[in-house]
Structure formats: structure tokens, C-alpha cells
Amino acid sequence: MKKIGFIGTGIMGRSMVRNLMKAGYQVAVYNRTKSKADELVAEGAVWCDSPAECAKGRDVVITIVGYPKDVEQVYFGEDGVIKRADPGTCLIDMTTTSPKLAREIYEKGKEKGLKVLDAPVTGGDSGAKAGTLTILAGGDKETFDFCLPVFEAMGKSIYYEGPAGNGQHTKMCNQIAIAGALSGACEALAYAKAVGLDPALMLESISTGAAGSAQMTNVASRILKDDYQPGFFMKHFIKDMKLAEEESESAGARLPMLECVLKMYEQLEAQGKGDLGTQALICYYDNAGENCGE
Ligand code: NAP
């Protein structure tokens, strides 16, 4: 049985750990705020006091932290995964981070005899809970094949995207498409409200037609219940759109729709709404303004 070290037990990580344990893996966990791993430890995970302790003696180390700076800290620090994992260990970063950083981890890992994949996910908090995530992996194919059973414990649609960084590039495409889908659903709700439609009926009616999307069904629908809690943090989506913008500049691609949606979200973040879920984009349209989503 493979021994797994898992770093980052937040909204996504905690459900992914549960599914790994359900599949029979021994999982050791580390998280910056220890209390966020307490329930998992009570359910059978082993607590580690540092990324080093979590990495040492494992077959596979999985990370899903917040931002690129968190990934750098976990991998490149003195007490980090690259320095402390045993040669031959597979390292899988499932955080949404920069494709450049993914390639850097791959190169630095290779120098130390480590096998590295970038494997960001999509499918949201509900997909993490249900074990139905879509996983987008970049790196060496043989490392991907070795890790496939581990991915299958957490996800349903698992794709090999090519060399290191391609998992993150594919995730950037996903975030670009989400910006369009979610802003489209919010704008439809704003219009429905202005013309006096029943928003719930409108959303149900168009969800099954050509405009339907997971964003409409699983995310925008939370607006109808005044539920602005984060399944996916607005602050993380802003991070992702900025990463996509950066990458597009160096690649020479144009992202005019994403730039527009990013500006909308940045305005909301400046009002202190970054810790709300992405569905709080509706507040951009809402006359309730500052108090929207509170
Ligand atoms: P989250 O709830 O904030 O979880 C991130 C966890 O990582 C937190 O518990 C955090 O600890 C921990 N962490 C951060 N830096 C760390 C470090 N240096 N050492 C150890 N632990 C550290 O966020 P999430 O929603 O699970 O998202 C995680 C990542 O997946 C993000 O990159 C996000 O963009 C991506 N993602 C999220 C979703 C979604 O729907 N939620 C979907 C796909 C991808 P603290 O408790 O101390 O903050």
C-alpha cells in the first residue's frame, strides 16, 4: 500500500484526504493551521509537525495549498518537500498555481531524484467531497501512470496533459472558461431581477438549455439561497485570473473577457469581499452594494 503525505487540509484538501483514506491509503497530514486537520486526525490520518516530516518516508506527497507563494514555501524552504523527501518519491502539486512554478518544481525535483507532477483539479468543493474531481496532470507519463490509482481515489475524469506545466496551463483554460460562464449566469440573474422575472424559475428554465453550465447549476444557484459562503474563494479566483493574464502576456494570447471579469472581482475584493465565494460576483450588479453578501 502506498504511504501518502498530504499538505494543505483546507476546503479541498480535507475531502481529498478522506477519499484517499477510504481507498485504503495511509495518509499523513500537515497544514499551516493545525486545527484544520483535527477532524482528519480523529478519523485516522497521522499529524506531522512540518512539511519535512510529512514528506519523509512516503511514496507520494500531495500538496493543495493556497497561492504560488505557499507552494514555494512548502517545496523550496529549508524544511521543504524537495530537500526532505526520499529520492524516488512522487510529488504532486494539486494547487492552482503558475505553470512556470510547476516547471521549476519539476526541474528542481529531478535534480534530487524526485518525480514531479502538476495536477490541479476542477469540480469544486462538491466534487472533492464526492471524489468526482477532474484532474489535469502534467509531467512524465510514467510518473502519471504510477500515480493513476491515487488520482482515481479522488477523481473521476483524469487527464494526462503532457509535459510539466501543462496541467496548470489546462487549469488556466478552465478558469478562463469559468470567468465567462459565471459572469454570464450572474448577468442573467441581474437582468431577470430588473425585468421582474422569478429568478429561481428563470435559472431552472435556462439551466437545461444551451446556456446551462456547472457554474450556473452548482455556483450561481447558491445566490438564490443568499449563500455566499466559499465553495471556491473569490480571492483564489482572482489569483487564478491574474496567473492566466500573466501567462497570456508571455504567450501572446488575448483575454479581453477575463480582463473585464477580473476588474469586476477586484472591485469587490477592494470592498472586503475576497473571503466570500465566487458567486458573490452578483454583488457587482446588486444595488445593495457594500452590504451585499454580508
Ligand atoms: P483553502 O481552504 O484556503 O485551503 C488551503 C489550505 O492550505 C489551508 O488550510 C491553508 O492553511 C493551507 N496552507 C496554505 N499555505 C500553507 C503552507 N505554507 N503550509 C501548509 N499549509 C498551507 O483553499 P481551497 O479552497 O482548499 O483551495 C486550495 C487550492 O485549490 C487553491 O489554489 C485553489 O485555487 C484551488 N482550487 C480550489 C477549488 C475550490 O472549489 N475550492 C477548486 C479547484 C481548485 P491555513 O488554514 O493556515 O490557511
Coordinates of all heavy atoms in Angstrom, one line a residue, residues 7-14 16 30-36 51 64-74 94-97 120-126 128 133 171 174-175 230-233 235-237 239-240, ligand 1:
I7 N -0.3 17.7 2.2 CA -0.1 19.1 2.8 C -1.1 20.0 2.3 O -1.3 20.2 1.1 CB 1.3 19.6 2.5 CG1 2.4 18.6 3.0 CG2 1.5 21.0 3.0 CD1 3.8 18.9 2.7
G8 N -1.9 20.6 3.2 CA -3.0 21.6 2.9 C -4.3 20.9 3.0 O -4.9 20.3 2.1
T9 N -4.9 21.0 4.3 CA -6.2 20.4 4.5 C -7.3 21.4 4.7 O -8.0 21.5 5.7 CB -6.1 19.5 5.8 OG1 -5.7 20.3 6.9 CG2 -5.1 18.4 5.6
G10 N -7.4 22.3 3.6 CA -8.5 23.3 3.6 C -9.7 22.7 3.0 O -10.0 21.5 3.1
I11 N -10.5 23.6 2.3 CA -11.8 23.2 1.8 C -11.6 21.9 0.9 O -12.4 21.0 1.0 CB -12.5 24.3 1.0 CG1 -12.9 25.5 1.9 CG2 -13.7 23.8 0.2 CD1 -13.4 26.7 1.2
M12 N -10.7 22.0 0.0 CA -10.5 20.9 -1.0 C -9.7 19.7 -0.4 O -10.1 18.6 -0.5 CB -9.7 21.4 -2.2 CG -10.4 22.5 -3.0 SD -12.0 21.9 -3.7 CE -11.4 21.0 -5.1
G13 N -8.6 20.1 0.3 CA -7.7 19.0 0.8 C -8.4 18.1 1.8 O -8.2 16.9 1.7
R14 N -9.2 18.6 2.7 CA -9.8 17.7 3.7 C -10.6 16.6 3.1 O -10.6 15.5 3.5 CB -10.5 18.5 4.8 CG -11.9 19.1 4.4 CD -12.6 19.7 5.6 NE -12.0 21.0 5.9 CZ -12.6 22.2 5.6 NH1 -13.8 22.2 5.0 NH2 -12.1 23.3 5.8
M16 N -10.3 15.5 0.0 CA -9.4 14.6 -0.8 C -8.7 13.6 0.1 O -8.6 12.4 -0.2 CB -8.4 15.5 -1.6 CG -9.1 16.3 -2.7 SD -8.2 17.7 -3.2 CE -7.0 17.0 -4.3
Y30 N -0.2 17.5 7.0 CA 0.3 18.8 7.6 C -0.5 19.9 7.0 O -0.8 20.0 5.9 CB 1.8 18.9 7.3 CG 2.3 20.3 7.7 CD1 2.5 20.6 9.0 CD2 2.6 21.3 6.8 CE1 2.9 21.9 9.4 CE2 3.0 22.6 7.1 CZ 3.2 22.9 8.5 OH 3.6 24.1 8.9
N31 N -0.8 20.9 7.9 CA -1.5 22.1 7.5 C -0.9 23.3 8.3 O -0.6 23.1 9.5 CB -3.0 22.0 7.6 CG -3.7 23.1 7.0 OD1 -3.8 23.2 5.7 ND2 -4.3 24.1 7.8
R32 N -0.8 24.4 7.7 CA -0.3 25.6 8.5 C -1.0 25.8 9.8 O -0.5 26.0 10.8 CB -0.4 26.8 7.6 CG 0.2 28.1 8.1 CD 0.3 29.1 7.1 NE -1.0 29.4 6.5 CZ -1.2 30.0 5.3 NH1 -0.1 30.5 4.7 NH2 -2.4 30.2 4.8
T33 N -2.4 25.8 9.7 CA -3.2 25.9 10.9 C -3.6 24.5 11.3 O -4.4 23.9 10.6 CB -4.5 26.8 10.6 OG1 -4.0 28.0 10.0 CG2 -5.3 27.1 11.9
K34 N -3.0 24.1 12.4 CA -3.2 22.7 12.8 C -4.7 22.3 13.0 O -5.1 21.2 12.7 CB -2.4 22.4 14.1 CG -2.4 21.0 14.6 CD -1.4 20.8 15.7 CE -1.3 19.3 16.1 NZ -2.2 18.8 17.1
S35 N -5.4 23.2 13.6 CA -6.8 22.8 13.9 C -7.6 22.4 12.7 O -8.6 21.6 12.8 CB -7.5 24.0 14.6 OG -7.5 25.1 13.7
K36 N -7.2 22.8 11.5 CA -8.0 22.4 10.3 C -7.7 21.0 9.9 O -8.3 20.5 9.0 CB -7.6 23.4 9.1 CG -8.2 24.7 9.3 CD -8.2 25.5 8.0 CE -8.6 26.9 8.2 NZ -8.3 27.8 7.1
P51 N 6.3 20.3 6.9 CA 6.3 19.7 5.6 C 7.4 18.6 5.5 O 7.1 17.5 4.8 CB 6.7 20.8 4.7 CG 6.3 22.1 5.4 CD 6.5 21.7 6.9
I64 N -2.0 20.7 -1.7 CA -3.0 21.6 -2.3 C -3.2 22.8 -1.3 O -4.0 22.7 -0.4 CB -4.3 20.9 -2.7 CG1 -5.3 21.9 -3.3 CG2 -4.9 20.1 -1.6 CD1 -6.4 21.3 -4.2
V65 N -2.3 23.8 -1.5 CA -2.3 24.9 -0.6 C -3.0 26.1 -1.3 O -3.8 25.8 -2.1 CB -0.9 25.2 -0.1 CG1 -0.4 24.1 0.9 CG2 0.1 25.3 -1.2
G66 N -2.7 27.3 -0.9 CA -3.5 28.4 -1.5 C -2.9 29.1 -2.7 O -3.4 29.0 -3.8
Y67 N -1.8 29.8 -2.5 CA -1.2 30.6 -3.5 C 0.2 30.1 -4.0 O 0.8 29.3 -3.3 CB -1.0 32.0 -2.9 CG -2.3 32.7 -2.6 CD1 -2.9 32.5 -1.3 CD2 -3.0 33.5 -3.5 CE1 -4.1 33.1 -1.0 CE2 -4.2 34.1 -3.1 CZ -4.7 33.9 -1.9 OH -5.9 34.5 -1.5
P68 N 0.7 30.6 -5.1 CA 2.0 30.2 -5.5 C 3.1 30.4 -4.4 O 4.0 29.6 -4.2 CB 2.3 31.1 -6.7 CG 1.0 31.4 -7.3 CD 0.0 31.5 -6.1
K69 N 3.0 31.5 -3.6 CA 4.0 31.7 -2.5 C 3.9 30.6 -1.5 O 4.9 30.2 -0.9 CB 3.8 33.1 -1.9 CG 2.5 33.3 -1.1 CD 2.5 34.7 -0.4 CE 1.2 35.1 0.1 NZ 0.3 34.1 0.7
D70 N 2.7 30.1 -1.3 CA 2.6 29.0 -0.3 C 3.2 27.7 -0.9 O 3.9 26.9 -0.2 CB 1.1 28.7 0.0 CG 0.4 29.9 0.6 OD1 1.0 30.6 1.4 OD2 -0.8 30.1 0.2
V71 N 3.1 27.5 -2.2 CA 3.7 26.4 -2.9 C 5.2 26.5 -2.8 O 5.9 25.5 -2.4 CB 3.2 26.3 -4.3 CG1 4.0 25.2 -5.1 CG2 1.7 26.1 -4.5
E72 N 5.7 27.7 -3.0 CA 7.2 27.9 -2.9 C 7.7 27.6 -1.6 O 8.7 26.9 -1.4 CB 7.5 29.3 -3.3 CG 7.4 29.6 -4.8 CD 7.6 31.1 -5.1 OE1 8.0 31.9 -4.3 OE2 7.3 31.4 -6.3
Q73 N 7.0 28.0 -0.5 CA 7.4 27.8 0.8 C 7.4 26.3 1.2 O 8.4 25.8 1.7 CB 6.4 28.5 1.8 CG 6.9 28.6 3.2 CD 5.8 29.3 4.0 OE1 4.7 29.5 3.7 NE2 6.3 29.8 5.2
V74 N 6.4 25.6 0.7 CA 6.3 24.2 1.1 C 7.3 23.3 0.3 O 7.9 22.4 0.9 CB 4.8 23.7 0.7 CG1 4.8 22.1 0.7 CG2 3.8 24.2 1.7
M94 N -1.3 19.9 -6.4 CA -2.6 20.0 -7.0 C -3.2 21.4 -6.7 O -4.4 21.7 -7.1 CB -3.5 18.9 -6.3 CG -2.9 17.5 -6.6 SD -3.9 16.1 -6.1 CE -5.0 15.9 -7.5
T95 N -2.4 22.3 -6.1 CA -2.8 23.7 -6.0 C -2.9 24.3 -7.4 O -2.3 23.9 -8.3 CB -1.6 24.5 -5.3 OG1 -1.1 23.7 -4.2 CG2 -2.0 25.9 -4.9
T96 N -3.8 25.3 -7.6 CA -3.8 26.0 -8.8 C -2.7 27.1 -8.7 O -2.8 28.0 -7.9 CB -5.2 26.7 -9.1 OG1 -6.2 25.8 -9.0 CG2 -5.2 27.4 -10.4
T97 N -1.7 26.9 -9.5 CA -0.5 27.8 -9.4 C 0.0 28.1 -10.8 O -0.6 27.7 -11.8 CB 0.5 27.2 -8.4 OG1 1.6 28.1 -8.3 CG2 1.1 25.9 -8.9
P120 N -3.5 20.1 -11.0 CA -4.6 20.9 -10.5 C -5.9 20.2 -10.8 O -6.0 19.4 -11.7 CB -4.5 22.3 -11.2 CG -3.7 22.0 -12.5 CD -2.8 20.8 -12.1
V121 N -6.9 20.7 -10.1 CA -8.2 20.0 -10.2 C -9.3 21.0 -10.5 O -9.2 22.2 -10.3 CB -8.6 19.3 -8.8 CG1 -7.5 18.3 -8.4 CG2 -8.7 20.3 -7.7
T122 N -10.4 20.4 -11.0 CA -11.7 21.2 -11.1 C -12.8 20.3 -10.8 O -12.7 19.1 -10.8 CB -11.8 21.8 -12.5 OG1 -13.1 22.4 -12.7 CG2 -11.5 20.9 -13.7
G123 N -13.9 21.0 -10.3 CA -15.1 20.2 -9.8 C -15.6 20.7 -8.5 O -16.6 20.3 -8.0
G124 N -14.8 21.7 -7.9 CA -15.3 22.4 -6.7 C -15.3 21.6 -5.5 O -14.8 20.4 -5.4
D125 N -15.8 22.2 -4.4 CA -15.8 21.5 -3.1 C -16.8 20.3 -3.2 O -16.5 19.3 -2.5 CB -16.3 22.5 -2.0 CG -17.6 23.2 -2.3 OD1 -18.0 23.3 -3.5 OD2 -18.3 23.6 -1.4
S126 N -17.8 20.4 -4.0 CA -18.7 19.2 -4.1 C -18.1 18.1 -4.8 O -18.2 16.9 -4.4 CB -20.0 19.6 -4.8 OG -19.7 20.3 -6.0
A128 N -14.8 17.5 -4.8 CA -13.8 17.0 -3.8 C -14.5 16.0 -2.8 O -13.9 15.0 -2.5 CB -13.1 18.1 -3.1
L133 N -13.6 14.6 -8.8 CA -12.9 15.7 -9.4 C -12.4 15.4 -10.8 O -12.2 14.2 -11.1 CB -11.6 16.0 -8.5 CG -11.9 16.7 -7.2 CD1 -10.7 16.7 -6.3 CD2 -12.5 18.1 -7.3
K171 N -5.5 24.1 -16.6 CA -6.3 24.7 -15.5 C -6.6 26.2 -15.8 O -7.7 26.7 -15.5 CB -5.6 24.5 -14.1 CG -6.3 25.1 -13.0 CD -7.6 24.5 -12.5 CE -8.3 25.3 -11.4 NZ -9.5 24.7 -10.9
N174 N -9.4 26.3 -18.0 CA -10.6 26.1 -17.2 C -11.1 27.4 -16.5 O -12.3 27.7 -16.6 CB -10.4 25.0 -16.2 CG -11.6 24.6 -15.4 OD1 -12.5 23.9 -15.9 ND2 -11.7 25.0 -14.2
Q175 N -10.2 28.1 -15.9 CA -10.5 29.3 -15.2 C -11.0 30.4 -16.1 O -11.9 31.2 -15.8 CB -9.3 29.8 -14.3 CG -8.8 28.8 -13.3 CD -9.9 28.2 -12.4 OE1 -10.7 27.3 -12.9 NE2 -10.1 28.6 -11.2
P230 N -17.8 30.4 0.9 CA -16.9 29.9 -0.2 C -16.9 28.4 -0.3 O -16.6 27.7 0.6 CB -15.5 30.4 0.3 CG -15.6 30.4 1.8 CD -17.1 30.8 2.1
G231 N -17.4 28.0 -1.5 CA -17.0 26.7 -2.0 C -15.7 26.9 -2.7 O -14.7 26.1 -2.5
F232 N -15.6 28.0 -3.4 CA -14.4 28.4 -4.0 C -14.2 29.9 -3.7 O -15.1 30.7 -4.0 CB -14.5 28.2 -5.6 CG -13.2 28.6 -6.3 CD1 -12.0 28.5 -5.8 CD2 -13.3 29.1 -7.6 CE1 -10.8 28.8 -6.5 CE2 -12.2 29.5 -8.3 CZ -11.0 29.3 -7.8
F233 N -13.1 30.3 -3.0 CA -12.9 31.6 -2.5 C -12.8 32.6 -3.7 O -12.0 32.3 -4.7 CB -11.6 31.7 -1.7 CG -11.7 31.2 -0.3 CD1 -11.0 30.1 0.0 CD2 -12.4 31.9 0.7 CE1 -11.0 29.6 1.3 CE2 -12.4 31.4 2.0 CZ -11.7 30.3 2.3
K235 N -11.0 35.3 -3.6 CA -9.6 35.7 -3.6 C -8.8 34.7 -4.3 O -7.8 35.0 -5.0 CB -9.1 35.8 -2.1 CG -9.1 34.6 -1.3 CD -8.7 34.8 0.2 CE -8.7 33.5 0.9 NZ -8.5 33.6 2.4
H236 N -9.1 33.4 -4.3 CA -8.4 32.4 -5.1 C -8.7 32.5 -6.6 O -7.8 32.3 -7.4 CB -8.7 31.0 -4.6 CG -8.0 30.6 -3.3 ND1 -8.4 29.5 -2.6 CD2 -7.0 31.2 -2.7 CE1 -7.6 29.5 -1.5 NE2 -6.8 30.5 -1.5
F237 N -9.9 32.9 -6.9 CA -10.3 33.0 -8.3 C -9.5 34.2 -8.9 O -9.0 34.2 -10.1 CB -11.8 33.2 -8.5 CG -12.3 33.0 -9.9 CD1 -11.6 32.2 -10.8 CD2 -13.3 33.8 -10.4 CE1 -12.0 32.1 -12.1 CE2 -13.8 33.6 -11.7 CZ -13.1 32.8 -12.6
K239 N -6.6 35.3 -7.9 CA -5.3 34.7 -8.1 C -5.1 34.0 -9.4 O -4.2 34.2 -10.2 CB -4.9 33.8 -6.9 CG -3.7 33.0 -7.0 CD -3.8 31.5 -7.0 CE -4.9 30.8 -6.3 NZ -5.1 29.4 -6.6
D240 N -6.1 33.2 -9.7 CA -6.1 32.3 -10.9 C -6.2 33.2 -12.2 O -5.5 33.0 -13.2 CB -7.3 31.3 -11.0 CG -7.2 30.4 -9.8 OD1 -6.1 30.3 -9.1 OD2 -8.2 29.6 -9.6
Ligands
NAP1 P1 -8.2 26.7 1.5 O1 -9.5 26.3 2.1 O2 -7.7 28.1 1.8 O3 -7.1 25.6 1.7 C1 -5.8 25.8 1.6 C2 -5.1 25.2 2.8 O4 -3.7 25.2 2.6 C3 -5.4 26.0 4.0 O5 -5.8 25.1 5.0 C4 -4.0 26.6 4.4 O6 -3.8 26.7 5.7 C5 -3.1 25.6 3.8 N1 -1.8 26.2 3.5 C6 -1.5 27.4 2.9 N2 -0.2 27.6 2.9 C7 0.4 26.6 3.6 C8 1.7 26.3 3.9 N3 2.7 27.1 3.6 N4 1.9 25.2 4.6 C9 0.9 24.4 5.0 N5 -0.4 24.6 4.7 C10 -0.6 25.7 4.0 O7 -8.5 26.7 -0.1 P2 -9.1 25.6 -1.1 O8 -10.5 26.1 -1.5 O9 -9.0 24.2 -0.4 O10 -8.2 25.7 -2.3 C11 -6.9 25.2 -2.3 C12 -6.3 25.4 -3.7 O11 -7.1 24.7 -4.7 C13 -6.2 26.8 -4.2 O12 -5.1 27.0 -5.0 C14 -7.5 26.9 -5.1 O13 -7.4 28.0 -6.0 C15 -7.6 25.6 -5.7 N6 -8.9 25.1 -6.0 C16 -10.0 25.3 -5.2 C17 -11.2 24.8 -5.6 C18 -12.5 25.1 -4.8 O14 -13.6 24.9 -5.3 N7 -12.4 25.4 -3.5 C19 -11.4 24.1 -6.8 C20 -10.3 23.9 -7.6 C21 -9.0 24.4 -7.2 P3 -4.4 27.8 6.7 O15 -5.6 27.1 7.3 O16 -3.4 28.2 7.7 O17 -4.8 29.0 5.8

